[in-house]
Amino acid sequence: MSVPAETIAAVATAQGRGGVGIVRISGPLASVAAQAFSERELKPRYAHYGPFYGENREVLDEGIALYFPGPNSFTGEDVLELQGHGGPIVLDMLLQRCIQLGCRLARPGEFSERAFLNDKLDLAQAEAIADLIEASSAQAARNALRSLQGAFSQRVHNLTEQLIGLRIYVEAAIDFPEEEIDFLADGHVLGMLDKVREELSTVQREAGQGALLRDGMNVVIAGRPNAGKSSLLNALAGREAAIVTEIAGTTRDVLREHIHIDGMPLHVVDTAGLRDTDDHVEKIGVQRALKAIGEADRVLLVVDATAPEADDPFALWPEFLEQRPDPAKVTLIRNKADLSGENIALEVSEDGHVTISLSAKSTDGLDLLREHLKACMGYEQTSESSFSARRRHLEALQQASKALEHGRAQLTLAGAGELLAEDLRQAQHSLGEITGAFSSDDLLGRIFSSFCIGK
Amino acid sequence: MNFPSRFAVIVIGGGHAGTEAALASARMGVKTLLLTHNVETLGQMSCNPAIGGIGKSHLVKEIDALGGAMAMATDKGGIQFRVLNGRKGPAVRATRAQADRILYKAAIREILENQPNLWIFQQAADDLIVEQDQVRGVVTQMGLRFMADAVVLTTGTFLGGLIHIGMQNYSGGRAGDPPSIALAHRLRELPLRVGRLKTGTPPRIDGRSVDFSVMTEQPGDTPIPVMSFMGNKEQHPAQVSCWITHTNARTHEIIASNLDRSPMYSGVIEGIGPRYCPSIEDKIHRFADKESHQVFIEPEGLTTHELYPNGISTSLPFDVQIQIVQSIRGMENAHIVRPGYAIEYDYFDPRDLKYSLETKVIGGLFFAGQINGTTGYEEAGAQGLLAGANAALLAQGKESWCPRRDEAYIGVLVDDLITLGTQEPYRMFTSRAEYRLILREDNADMRLTEKGRELGLVDDARWAAFCTKRESIAQEEQRLKSTWVRPGTEQGDAIAAKFGTPLTHEYNLLNLLTRPEIDYVGLIEVTGQGAEDPLVAEQVEIKTKYAGYIDRQQDEIARLRASENTKLPVDIDYTTISGLSKEIQSKLGATRPETLGQASRIPGVTPAAISLLMIHLKKRGAGRTLEQNA
């Protein structure tokens, strides 16, 4: 085998939501991944139905796992195929797990490339693959350029600039100890490092928001029994997805619905009403509801506008607060505005909390909610503060962040400037996967133009 | 006439590259001739009288690990030794020595004259004998023809050398030496890309006219460092101090008002100087807001009063030089012994070289040192050793050798040069090495001596010392790994008390040593019986402390290994490879990389382009090579 022994992974099916989604893994780690995902020995070339496990044995998805030991596989290497459900979030979780296991994301055309290099495709097909690699990389370059002209690139470029600024100081202190510039000893470097870390975490947050825009936001509808949560779900979905009755506690389990608002994907989760109950089934429903709240990107807390508790809903629900949803992620929905007689309106309090008065039954005010959800996803700010980050970008930011964390510990705990330097190099290498390479000679150039160096 | 006997390897030039080249070739048992225009200047330090420093000492110790002369000569000629970055981590520590020019030169001369298989001959080389793109020998000034299988050119600044002092200039190889004009003309006829570089030196000062009492003394370190793995401090001659003084507003004023008389700023000099070793006029011009610059006053030797004021290299006219020097504190009455000057010289684009430092177009012709666009004794010596060894390997009909980037700074140096070329005199820095934590000065022997032995570069004494050290390190690591400490025992409590970390369960000593707060010496104080040799203890400690980082770097190296091992044929026509952009085709064509790994380091060559190259290789039936190397 001629290709470097790296294991690559990618989603093999078309982008978007399909019935079936396939993640393909090729390389020496494929067997390790097979074991990790299925927790059993897979018989070569047999279809095994079962759960795909995550890092902590949680079930990421269910489907068919197929293991092809090399050379009898598409690429000629060990190959694992996971055929699961087609949702982008599920596929993304599977990919993330692959990366955790030591795989890297495949470049466009890389599976075919390996197949060719391992004699799995004949020479006649070589030209076609070359064209494919060229075309896909050109396409990727165009895509990247498009994305890079936007906000994301600007932010990552700024971040990289800051990091380079920091590296200049660290490397200069190491390579020119006889100059009067020992930045490692004074607090200068640490201050700069913390600034870069802060900026990086901002970019990470915003990039995460971009991913939300692409892959969909998780919206959980929560509240007391009979506040009208299921009615709200039905109103948003535009169909009778949930059973609605006047009996409190009708919804006993978590109900999921995928909807689109102006083409933007939303995963809406209806939950059992939060209350103390002796009913065993309902109790489990409440627990699940609380769990869903904890995982939500956005919580719609629904109150009955005609009920007395509507005045201070948060104080009344200790169970809700125990889940500690970020208050900024909660929107208060005053339902049944048709009955309370209040105006259909969206109000923003001084501390930024949003309250919407609406009627799920008459659908008055539902447009306000839809606009609000779009705003939450960053719909209006796409060109300014949030970006269409790909999994690859998020991964790179994560790596960079880890390296900076590590380097900081080396500097503060052990005073090890050369190890900090190594971590900074790693961090920049990670960012470089988004923005392109930066050589050591470029770095030296910056040092020489920043400081007067040399005897 | 033809010289009566034939040589396997001829080295032209007796500087730091030439001497290491000749010695390496001869050590490998190959009949070698060192051809120099002046035997008296063998091993001459033409610039500042110091060896080592950050990045550079790493090269010196690698030369030493491969049996070279530079470190040993430094131990015999060094009159002030310091460890730079002593308080930073071991990977970036660097030994630096001031050297007595006469003692250093004498030490090199002694090693040369006692080297079996090595002949020295004094005569300037004027021409190369080349037949069918293959070098056959050398013709000297008086028409003497020497025949050989390989020729190593180490011409330093002598090729087309032009010396500038103010607006005046004249031909010269170095102050006081003639340039190599005939050879330069001859080489310019070869199909090699050529350019001009520039370097400079400061005026030298008579120490009797200097007031040291107003300067800051900079003594050497205690305990006194040693450069060679085979050296010891008893070899060092008497030790002296350096001194630090500063330029001031008056100095800067003099320079600023005379910039129009600088050959640099008036456009007379076309060669590009080094950014990290700027002339004083450059510093003042580019960093106008800096009020003062350090000047290191370095003694030139024990038997001379001459001083080297490091930091005020200049090509301004002599009358301005006098004013500059006398404006500096402590040098108000200083007498200049030799004027400062700038020198321009020819260099050849190192992208025309292979990893072996053999030129791609003329078989058997090797280049090393400043001719390749580098600066510095250490960079020159490292290339010399490599070129000499490869010339000998060629003469022996064996395959060439070059360490990889993860094995040695020599590997970084050569890979940078032949992949990227250079636009200024290239100097080594630790930041050029991505595997800095592995490429340390302390482990140069562990990285290279075994290979050196295999090549025939390392003698029995060095090999025996190396084996003993390596064995002791392994033993001590084993001992630490198999010595266990339990919480609650006397030792466990003693460790907890000494380092402030209570033991939560049983640990072996190697585990404990990985903790940042625990050091080897402290650990041995508590547990007893450590390694006797401090160098062994040092290796064990550094390896343990860096283990996590080194593992990560090793993973990275392993990932890249296959593409480093995949050779690209020399006759590849990049314009015919489908899918490659015009720009990438021309970049690959300009460098003609030897391996896929080297190709991937050319700026602008994308991963997609590398994929296309792999497919192209496979198509032209090079698949077998790929498989063998994977």
Side-chain angles (χ1 to χ4, degrees):
Chain A
M1 201 188 71
S2 61
V3 185
E6 277 184 285
T7 303
I8 52 173
V11 175
T13 38
Q15 286 282 326
R17 188 167 294 109
V20 176
I22 298 176
V23 171
R24 186 180 280 155
I25 299 152
S26 177
L29 287 176
S31 62
V32 177
Q35 177 66 34
F37 276 112
S38 67
E39 298 209 339
R40 58 178 157 162
E41 208 58 48
L42 295 185
K43 194 171 171 191
R45 293 177 301 282
Y46 273 70
H48 298 76
Y49 180 76
F52 303 151
Y53 292 102
E55 189 183 11
N56 304 308
R57 296 213 65 233
E58 76 279 19
V59 175
L60 299 176
D61 195 7
E62 285 187 354
I64 291 169
L66 284 156
Y67 178 60
F68 306 90
N72 300 316
S73 69
F74 167 59
T75 59
E77 305 172 327
D78 292 350
V79 168
L80 175 69
E81 266 190 27
L82 301 174
Q83 308 187 347
H85 297 98
I89 292 190
V90 172
L91 290 172
D92 203 44
M93 288 196 304
L94 293 176
L95 269 190
Q96 275 192 53
R97 179 73 185 128
C98 291
I99 291 164
Q100 262 178 9
L101 290 168
C103 308
R104 70 162 168 80
L105 297 178
R107 293 190 302 271
E110 199 170 4
F111 285 100
S112 309
E113 177 191 325
R114 290 191 176 195
F116 170 71
L117 292 170
N118 289 316
D119 289 325
K120 286 291 161 179
L121 298 175
D122 63 33
L123 279 175
Q125 287 166 288
E127 288 300 333
I129 293 167
D131 291 345
L132 172 74
I133 289 172
E134 214 281 318
S136 54
S137 68
Q139 180 63 40
R142 269 194 298 278
N143 287 347
L145 186 66
R146 204 173 298 139
S147 163
L148 283 178
Q149 281 162 346
F152 185 55
S153 108
Q154 201 46 53
R155 295 301 293 275
V156 177
H157 273 301
N158 288 347
L159 189 59
T160 308
E161 278 303 310
Q162 280 190 37
L163 187 59
I164 291 168
L166 174 57
R167 288 191 70 201
I168 286 173
Y169 280 85
V170 175
E171 294 292 338
I174 288 173
D175 265 344
F176 304 97
E178 291 188 286
E179 306 292 332
E180 295 148 314
I181 43 170
D182 193 359
F183 307 111
L184 288 170
D186 55 38
H188 193 82
V189 158
L190 192 61
M192 285 177 85
L193 175 58
D194 284 338
K195 240 187 99 205
V196 175
R197 287 174 56 228
E198 199 176 299
E199 175 70 17
L200 175 58
S201 87
T202 309
V203 175
Q204 268 184 297
R205 235 185 355 261
E206 296 185 21
Q209 177 120 71
L212 212 63
L213 193 60
R214 200 185 71 244
D215 297 332
M217 178 166 76
N218 236 346
V219 179
V220 170
I221 305 176
R224 284 293 208 184
N226 228 359
K229 298 181 293 298
S230 299
S231 304
L232 187 61
L233 173 70
N234 289 345
L236 280 173
R239 65 186 189 94
E240 296 291 311
I243 303 165
V244 178
T245 71
E246 284 172 13
I247 304 161
T250 303
T251 306
R252 292 185 158 204
D253 199 352
V254 176
L255 208 75
R256 296 171 194 275
E257 188 71 10
H258 296 295
I259 65 166
H260 284 85
I261 301 176
D262 293 349
M264 296 169 55
L266 236 65
H267 314 285
V268 188
V269 182
D270 184 19
T271 61
L274 301 172
R275 67 169 172 184
D276 285 331
T277 173
D278 293 332
D279 183 320
H280 188 61
V281 176
E282 194 181 346
K283 224 175 185 167
I284 294 174
V286 170
Q287 277 167 13
R288 289 191 177 177
L290 290 173
K291 186 164 176 280
I293 291 166
E295 294 167 353
D297 294 318
R298 194 83 207 166
V299 177
L300 301 179
L301 182 57
V302 184
V303 297
D304 183 343
T306 62
E309 69 201 27
D311 292 337
D312 191 2
F314 292 98
L316 289 173
W317 289 323
E319 317 94 307
F320 180 78
L321 288 177
E322 265 170 34
Q323 280 312 116
R324 295 182 202 283
D326 179 352
K329 284 186 175 175
V330 178
T331 304
L332 185 64
I333 306 291
R334 291 178 62 89
N335 191 20
K336 309 189 187 177
D338 51 334
L339 298 179
S340 70
E342 62 196 74
N343 287 336
I344 303 296
L346 183 150
E347 283 171 24
V348 183
S349 71
E350 271 179 28
D351 52 359
H353 286 121
V354 177
T355 303
I356 302 174
S357 297
L358 53 74
S359 166
K361 198 169 162 191
S362 71
T363 71
D364 283 330
L366 225 63
D367 281 343
L368 283 179
L369 176 58
R370 289 198 185 96
E371 288 305 316
H372 170 62
L373 287 174
K374 272 160 64 179
C376 291
M377 292 174 73
Y379 183 81
E380 288 162 358
Q381 323 145 12
T382 42
S383 58
E384 284 168 28
S385 64
S386 77
F387 346 101
S388 173
R390 294 166 175 277
R391 158 76 18 230
R392 188 173 73 80
H393 295 158
L394 293 179
E395 180 62 25
L397 291 174
Q398 177 63 26
Q399 294 288 350
S401 164
K402 262 165 62 184
L404 292 185
E405 242 19 80
H406 202 263
R408 189 182 196 281
Q410 289 300 338
L411 181 67
T412 52
L413 297 181
E418 83 283 19
L419 297 182
L420 167 66
E422 170 64 15
D423 282 316
L424 293 179
R425 186 180 76 83
Q426 286 287 345
Q428 199 184 338
H429 184 75
S430 298
L431 292 184
E433 289 177 7
I434 303 174
T435 57
F438 184 84
S439 74
S440 66
D441 204 56
D442 297 336
L443 188 67
L444 282 165
R446 294 286 186 93
I447 293 177
F448 300 135
S449 56
S450 303
F451 310 114
C452 182
I453 282 202
K455 285 182 170 178
Chain B
M1 69 168 270
N2 283 349
F3 192 78
S5 69
R6 183 188 163 80
F7 293 91
V9 173
I10 297 174
V11 177
I12 301 176
H16 305 278
T19 51
E20 293 292 355
L23 286 168
S25 169
R27 281 203 302 282
M28 286 169 65
V30 160
K31 190 174 176 189
T32 307
L33 176 75
L34 174 57
L35 196 58
T36 172
H37 77 287
N38 184 357
V39 169
E40 296 308 321
T41 55
L42 288 171
Q44 172 91 307
M45 306 176 111
S46 340
C47 191
N48 70 321
I51 300 275
I54 307 291
K56 289 169 165 277
S57 69
H58 295 74
L59 287 169
V60 177
K61 301 227 172 193
E62 289 176 2
I63 294 170
D64 189 54
L66 292 167
M70 189 171 267
M72 293 190 288
T74 305
D75 279 329
K76 287 187 178 171
I79 52 176
Q80 189 228 34
F81 285 82
R82 290 167 58 218
V83 173
L84 309 181
N85 276 342
R87 270 173 300 179
K88 297 185 187 113
V92 294
R93 275 178 213 154
T95 313
R96 183 180 191 277
Q98 293 301 140
D100 177 306
R101 284 182 197 283
I102 295 169
L103 291 178
Y104 184 87
K105 212 161 69 173
I108 291 288
R109 177 89 175 263
E110 186 188 345
I111 296 169
L112 287 168
E113 288 187 3
N114 288 291
Q115 176 62 52
N117 305 318
L118 180 60
W119 281 259
I120 297 169
F121 191 82
Q122 175 173 307
Q123 178 82 182
D126 268 11
D127 200 1
L128 296 173
I129 305 166
V130 178
E131 288 167 10
Q132 289 155 2
D133 296 338
Q134 180 70 38
V135 76
R136 302 286 175 206
V138 181
V139 185
T140 71
Q141 208 168 19
M142 60 185 251
L144 199 54
R145 294 161 64 90
F146 289 92
M147 306 308 284
D149 300 327
V151 174
V152 182
L153 269 185
T154 69
T155 49
T157 57
F158 282 63
L159 280 184
L162 187 62
I163 289 175
H164 298 264
I165 301 176
M167 306 308 274
Q168 297 172 317
N169 54 63
Y170 61 93
S171 288
R174 167 167 69 195
D177 285 301
S180 309
I181 299 295
L183 190 58
H185 281 304
R186 177 70 178 103
L187 288 171
R188 278 191 178 244
E189 288 166 11
L190 297 176
L192 297 164
R193 290 170 282 188
V194 65
R196 292 287 271 177
L197 290 174
K198 171 247 155 189
T199 187
T201 69
R204 315 292 168 85
I205 311 294
D206 185 337
R208 292 171 301 174
S209 61
V210 170
D211 178 6
F212 293 104
S213 68
V214 297
M215 298 182 179
T216 312
E217 183 170 5
Q218 190 186 37
D221 284 354
T222 357
I224 183 167
V226 174
M227 194 63 92
S228 170
F229 288 107
M230 297 299 285
N232 62 66
K233 62 178 190 292
E234 279 71 37
Q235 294 173 314
H236 297 345
Q239 299 293 295
V240 298
S241 289
C242 292
W243 304 84
I244 300 174
T245 181
H246 291 87
T247 62
N248 52 44
R250 172 95 192 97
T251 321
H252 297 198
E253 212 180 285
I254 295 165
I255 293 165
S257 60
N258 282 291
L259 273 186
D260 58 330
R261 299 175 65 199
S262 151
M264 292 262 302
Y265 286 93
S266 53
V268 176
I269 291 182
E270 41 180 286
I272 301 161
R275 288 172 298 177
Y276 38 81
C277 192
S279 61
I280 186 67
E281 48 267 36
D282 226 11
K283 292 187 207 176
I284 307 293
H285 180 71
R286 289 178 49 222
F287 296 91
D289 52 341
K290 205 169 171 203
E291 288 164 4
S292 171
H293 298 276
Q294 295 185 103
V295 182
F296 295 82
I297 307 294
E298 303 175 349
E300 295 248 343
L302 297 174
T303 53
T304 172
H305 292 296
E306 219 175 322
L307 298 172
Y308 189 96
N310 208 340
I312 53 166
S313 137
T314 181
S315 56
L316 284 163
F318 185 63
D319 61 298
V320 184
Q321 292 187 19
I322 298 175
Q323 291 180 57
I324 292 172
V325 166
Q326 296 191 343
S327 73
I328 296 172
R329 196 162 152 79
M331 297 204 281
E332 291 82 355
N333 300 306
H335 168 66
I336 295 177
V337 183
R338 310 180 204 209
Y341 64 89
I343 179 163
E344 280 187 287
Y345 54 95
D346 284 357
Y347 82 106
F348 290 94
D349 187 336
R351 289 178 299 172
D352 288 330
L353 299 174
K354 302 179 188 174
Y355 275 104
S356 58
L357 298 180
E358 186 183 9
T359 58
K360 286 173 183 164
V361 290
I362 307 291
L365 180 62
F366 294 79
F367 288 173
Q370 280 169 302
I371 189 173
N372 292 336
T374 63
T375 174
Y377 311 143
E378 304 81 356
E379 288 81 353
Q383 292 170 70
L385 184 143
L386 187 70
N390 279 315
L393 285 169
L394 183 86
Q396 292 169 336
K398 293 180 185 164
E399 199 160 316
S400 67
W401 173 74
C402 180
R404 291 188 313 267
R405 295 184 72 91
D406 58 281
E407 290 176 318
Y409 272 91
I410 299 176
V412 174
L413 172 71
V414 173
D415 185 61
D416 276 355
L417 287 174
I418 71 170
T419 307
L420 310 174
T422 189
Q423 280 73 51
E424 65 174 334
Y426 178 104
R427 178 211 197 274
M428 186 48 74
F429 296 104
T430 70
S431 52
R432 295 197 193 270
E434 55 275 53
Y435 307 115
R436 177 159 67 191
L437 301 181
I438 294 174
L439 306 186
R440 307 185 305 272
E441 90 167 18
D442 63 77
N443 70 350
D445 53 347
M446 295 297 138
R447 293 184 275 119
L448 295 170
T449 296
E450 187 165 11
K451 182 66 192 179
R453 179 69 176 177
E454 186 192 315
L455 291 169
L457 288 167
V458 169
D459 64 15
D460 293 345
R462 183 182 291 274
W463 179 242
F466 168 77
C467 290
T468 306
K469 182 178 171 189
R470 187 167 60 175
E471 179 65 23
S472 307
I473 293 168
Q475 272 173 9
E476 178 60 2
E477 278 178 339
Q478 192 49 48
R479 187 188 74 82
L480 293 174
K481 213 183 281 179
S482 56
T483 309
W484 294 81
V485 180
R486 292 171 190 80
T489 60
E490 196 183 316
Q491 266 193 351
D493 291 344
I495 287 173
K498 186 167 177 71
F499 301 106
T501 32
L503 306 184
T504 49
H505 56 88
E506 195 182 30
Y507 287 100
N508 68 41
L509 296 183
L510 208 60
N511 288 149
L512 287 174
L513 194 54
T514 58
R515 296 188 180 182
E517 72 275 15
I518 295 183
D519 65 309
Y520 183 84
V521 173
L523 192 64
I524 294 309
E525 273 174 31
V526 178
T527 60
Q529 48 149 268
E532 275 172 34
D533 184 349
L535 293 180
V536 170
E538 182 190 38
Q539 280 309 298
V540 172
E541 177 158 29
I542 295 171
K543 274 172 83 178
T544 314
K545 295 288 183 203
Y546 277 178
Y549 282 88
I550 289 177
D551 287 349
R552 198 167 70 186
Q553 294 200 331
Q554 294 290 9
D555 286 349
E556 197 177 321
I557 293 162
R559 272 205 307 279
L560 300 173
R561 184 65 55 86
S563 63
E564 295 303 329
N565 287 341
T566 304
K567 296 242 185 309
L568 291 171
V570 272
D571 60 341
I572 204 163
D573 180 1
Y574 290 103
T575 59
T576 64
I577 299 179
S578 84
L580 283 183
S581 72
K582 284 266 182 305
E583 188 192 346
I584 289 176
Q585 283 175 354
S586 91
K587 281 180 170 163
L588 289 167
T591 298
R592 308 206 68 77
E594 282 185 68
T595 67
L596 212 51
Q598 192 193 348
S600 71
R601 285 189 293 275
I602 299 171
V605 173
T606 60
I610 295 299
S611 294
L612 295 172
L613 281 182
M614 284 171 75
I615 286 172
H616 179 80
L617 285 181
K618 178 92 180 177
K619 267 163 59 188
R620 51 178 276 161
R624 189 167 301 155
T625 331
L626 283 168
E627 275 159 32
Q628 278 167 356
N629 286 319

